[in-house]
Amino acid sequence: MNNDAFIKRGNGKLTVSYGESLLLNINPDKNSFDKTIDDDALLKKKRENNFLILLLNNFVNQCYRYKVLIKEGYFFILCDKDGYVIKIIANDQLNKDFKKLQFREGISLRLEDSGTNAVNIAMEYKSLAQLYGKDHYCDLFKNWYCTAMPITDHYSKEIVAYLDISRINVPSIKEQSITLKNITIYLEKCISYRSENMSFIGGEIDDTDKLILSSLVRNGVRKAVMDEVGISDRALRNHLNKLGILFDADNDIKIIMAAINIGIIDTHGNIL
């Protein structure tokens, strides 16, 4: 991946992007976000990226360093591979400000909808992109200092999402690249590990298996799983025996741990 940063108006790639924004008749004076997918489309995108969303949310909110950054005014924007926002992590004050701007999950940060910004530069050049406030095309972003980069599934060799870390009215963004790279490396390792394992066992895991694993995490005992999933003791044993062979696990706890590590379910029993 090319890790060049795009931080100045004189940069040729930014100039090209500005030209494209002009050709698309993007209003540079716009002060609100006007391209948002409907709730059903957003829900579908969030389901498709559920593993990544939960992974990012847990990682950022469980790490003291990143929790401090959020309190200080940094915020994270996770976009799917098409440039639609599927997760925003910010402090309470920023969330109130974003509501006024109509900046929410489901908006599009694609060039044709929001003009030149860090996310669509990262999408265009498949690289880390840094934009100071004045580097954006629309006034909407003029006080946003943003760094974005692709998230790649190295097993499938495909870009699966884009992550942005930003701050408002603070022109120093030197540390954002380091923070963003560290988080992205972690996410990519988890995604690639999951993809590799799912390629071997994915075809063997059916919906009932996933429901059983989810119920077993939340309830802990087989009787409760039988009642919740609606299967017999014999059917449950057959499913768990199959999972035990697939995961090379000889008891329910090891089966659950393997399923969590692979990324079939999370620690709360959510199916990923």
Side-chain angles (χ1 to χ4, degrees):
M1 180 183 294
N2 175 14
N3 285 323
D4 291 340
F6 309 95
I7 61 175
K8 296 180 180 179
R9 284 187 178 276
N11 185 290
K13 294 181 175 65
L14 276 180
T15 302
V16 170
S17 182
Y18 297 151
E20 292 175 347
S21 296
L22 282 169
L23 289 172
L24 291 168
N25 294 317
I26 303 296
N27 179 10
D29 300 321
K30 66 186 299 182
N31 55 17
S32 65
F33 294 89
D34 53 15
K35 175 62 175 179
T36 307
I37 55 176
D38 62 35
D39 291 342
D40 289 340
L42 175 60
L43 182 59
K44 181 179 179 182
K45 285 182 175 292
K46 290 172 75 73
R47 284 174 175 168
E48 291 172 348
N49 294 276
N50 192 36
F51 176 73
L52 181 56
I53 292 171
L54 289 172
L55 196 64
L56 173 65
N57 193 60
N58 290 339
F59 185 62
V60 170
N61 286 297
Q62 290 178 10
C63 178
Y64 177 76
R65 176 188 175 190
Y66 301 132
K67 288 169 69 175
V68 170
L69 288 179
I70 293 170
K71 288 182 179 179
E72 291 177 347
Y74 288 91
F75 56 98
F76 294 92
I77 306 168
L78 179 65
C79 294
D80 74 350
K81 61 183 179 181
D82 299 317
Y84 289 95
V85 176
I86 54 176
K87 183 65 180 178
I88 300 171
I89 301 176
N91 63 36
D92 292 340
Q93 182 57 56
L94 280 173
N95 282 324
K96 291 179 182 177
D97 295 338
F98 292 156
K99 189 174 182 180
K100 296 176 184 177
L101 289 173
Q102 298 180 340
F103 177 64
R104 57 185 182 273
E105 294 173 0
I107 69 160
S108 169
L109 291 179
R110 298 178 301 173
L111 180 73
E112 58 266 36
D113 300 314
S114 299
T116 300
N117 63 69
V119 170
N120 60 55
I121 290 291
M123 291 176 66
E124 176 69 20
Y125 296 104
K126 298 179 174 59
S127 173
L128 183 145
Q130 289 184 322
L131 267 69
Y132 286 72
K134 65 181 181 179
D135 295 325
H136 295 88
Y137 179 79
C138 295
D139 287 344
L140 183 62
F141 297 103
K142 290 305 182 184
N143 58 350
W144 290 34
Y145 295 79
C146 309
T147 308
M149 69 182 298
I151 299 173
T152 302
D153 180 342
H154 294 293
Y155 180 76
S156 66
K157 296 180 172 58
E158 294 180 351
I159 292 174
V160 296
Y162 296 87
L163 182 62
D164 176 288
I165 179 172
S166 297
R167 202 169 180 192
I168 297 175
N169 288 326
V170 181
S172 176
I173 59 176
K174 182 178 179 180
E175 299 301 321
Q176 289 182 192
S177 294
I178 298 172
T179 299
L180 184 63
K181 287 179 181 179
N182 288 338
I183 296 174
T184 300
I185 287 171
Y186 169 77
L187 296 176
E188 290 182 338
K189 285 182 178 179
C190 294
I191 292 167
S192 301
Y193 176 79
R194 180 179 189 250
S195 293
E196 182 176 6
N197 281 281
M198 290 300 287
S199 70
F200 293 113
I201 68 169
E204 303 295 329
I205 302 292
D206 59 30
D207 290 341
T208 302
D209 293 323
K210 294 176 182 178
L211 290 174
I212 289 170
L213 290 167
S214 172
S215 182
L216 198 56
V217 169
R218 290 180 286 102
N219 296 301
V221 294
R222 292 192 177 191
K223 179 63 170 63
V225 174
M226 290 163 51
D227 293 339
E228 185 172 87
V229 180
I231 59 175
S232 67
D233 176 66
R234 180 177 179 179
L236 178 59
R237 283 189 282 109
N238 287 338
H239 279 278
L240 290 174
N241 287 340
K242 179 186 75 173
L243 293 171
I245 294 171
L246 282 174
F247 299 155
D248 191 24
D250 57 10
N251 60 55
D252 292 356
I253 293 177
K254 290 181 179 179
I255 288 173
I256 290 172
M257 293 305 300
I260 291 172
N261 289 334
I262 291 171
I264 298 172
I265 53 173
D266 68 11
T267 55
H268 300 290
N270 296 307
I271 297 173
L272 303 175

